[in-house]
């Protein structure tokens, strides 16, 4: 798959459905590194087991993890943590809540600045979805939360395709098939829970088990 980088920066992205299932694929890039762990997308979700499993894997790899909720922390604290980190990780959860908080706080711009320095961004599920130009396509899977403040559904616009996580994977088997069918004009990239998309500079690959 060829990818166009939408922003004028060469970045490194690791986009996945379920980080604890695929994180070992980039073990060498994570071991002993400083990781900012952003759980914001998961805050209002019922099931959050993926948050704990991701933390467990980072710890197993010897990463130094700093957890930052961008919806509650002062911007200065977030900025300091992002600048100090080697890796910026976003959990799964609600994509609309996450992009709303990123745009409200200005952390979207801060993130792009740090990616421009060559830092690795890991996006799991919602954290991968938000990289697209627009996230309206995912509304069948993620409902907009009360208080959503954006007048549009613009994403981070880092890539020119649209990640569809958990493709044909329970409990999202039917809804992911529906989304793929209903948006034939979008460059949707479906991945299951054992696959990931790596972006390095201006090239990308799908890795993992089909």
């Amino acid at each position: 798959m060829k990818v166009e980088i939408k922003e004028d920066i060469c970045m490194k992205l690791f986009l996945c459905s379920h980080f604890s299932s695929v994180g070992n694929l980039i073990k060498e890039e994570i071991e002993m590194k400083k990781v900012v762990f952003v759980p914001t997308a998961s805050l209002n979700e019922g099931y959050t087991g993926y948050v704990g499993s991701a933390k467990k894997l980072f710890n197993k790899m010897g990463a130094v993890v700093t957890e930052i909720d961008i919806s509650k922390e002062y911007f200065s604290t977030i900025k300091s943590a992002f600048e100090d980190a080697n890796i910026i990780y976003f959990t799964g959860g609600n994509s609309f809540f996450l992009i709303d908080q990123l745009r409200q706080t200005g952390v979207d711009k801060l993130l792009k600045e740090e990616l421009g320095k060559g830092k690795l961004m890991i996006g799991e599920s919602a954290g991968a979805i938000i990289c697209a130009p627009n996230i309206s396509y995912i509304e069948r899977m993620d409902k907009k939360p009360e208080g959503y403040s954006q007048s549009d559904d613009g994403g981070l616009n880092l890539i020119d395709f649209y990640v569809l996580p958990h493709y044909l994977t329970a409990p999202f088997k039917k809804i992911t098939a529906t989304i793929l069918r209903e948006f034939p004009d979008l460059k949707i990239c479906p991945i299951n829970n054992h696959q990931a998309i790596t972006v390095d500079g201006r090239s990308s690959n799908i890795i993992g088990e089909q």
Side-chain angles (χ1 to χ4, degrees):
M1 179 183 67
K2 292 184 178 180
V3 59
E4 176 187 344
I5 304 303
K6 302 296 286 185
E7 297 290 328
D8 190 23
I9 54 177
C10 289
M11 69 191 72
K12 295 176 66 176
L13 307 175
F14 184 82
L15 309 176
C16 61
S17 299
H18 192 246
F19 177 69
S20 64
S21 296
V22 295
N24 278 315
L25 295 173
I26 54 168
K27 182 179 179 180
E28 293 181 356
E29 295 189 55
I30 297 173
E31 287 180 319
M32 312 307 292
K33 298 294 177 59
K34 295 179 181 178
V35 178
V36 168
F37 188 102
V38 183
T40 304
S42 70
L43 294 184
N44 301 311
E45 300 296 288
Y47 173 75
T48 58
Y50 48 87
V51 177
S53 64
K55 284 183 184 177
K56 185 176 180 179
L57 183 57
F58 278 124
N59 289 331
K60 185 178 179 180
M61 293 180 182
V64 179
V65 177
T66 300
E67 186 169 331
I68 292 283
D69 174 11
I70 63 169
S71 70
K72 296 177 181 177
E73 287 287 357
Y74 289 113
F75 183 82
S76 58
T77 302
I78 300 169
K79 186 173 188 291
S80 178
F82 274 39
E83 289 176 344
D84 189 51
N86 307 112
I87 298 168
I88 302 169
Y89 162 81
F90 292 88
T91 70
N94 187 285
S95 307
F96 291 100
F97 182 70
L98 178 56
I99 197 66
D100 194 23
Q101 295 304 314
L102 283 164
R103 293 173 65 182
Q104 274 190 46
T105 58
V107 175
D108 57 338
K109 296 180 178 63
L110 172 64
L111 173 63
K112 291 174 183 179
E113 289 175 6
E114 295 305 310
L115 294 181
K117 298 174 184 177
K119 295 183 180 181
L120 171 65
M121 173 184 166
I122 300 175
E124 175 177 359
S125 194
I129 290 164
I130 61 168
C131 293
N134 188 287
I135 66 169
S136 295
Y137 73 103
I138 210 67
E139 193 167 0
R140 277 187 169 272
M141 184 184 294
D142 282 352
K143 301 303 180 185
K144 288 183 182 177
E146 289 186 17
Y148 182 71
S149 67
Q150 304 303 316
S151 59
D152 59 59
D153 297 330
L156 292 175
N157 203 30
L158 299 177
I159 50 180
D160 75 337
F161 59 92
Y162 301 76
V163 180
L164 180 58
H166 314 295
Y167 183 60
L168 300 182
T169 304
F172 303 105
K173 186 173 182 178
K174 289 184 178 180
I175 194 62
T176 52
T178 298
I179 291 171
L180 189 62
R181 183 177 66 250
E182 291 189 350
F183 292 92
D185 296 329
L186 285 187
K187 191 190 295 185
I188 291 180
C189 182
I191 52 173
N192 63 36
N193 283 11
H194 297 280
Q195 293 176 308
I197 303 166
T198 60
V199 177
D200 190 352
R202 296 187 177 276
S203 65
S204 70
N205 290 288
I206 298 176
I207 60 175
E209 301 174 12
Q210 292 188 357

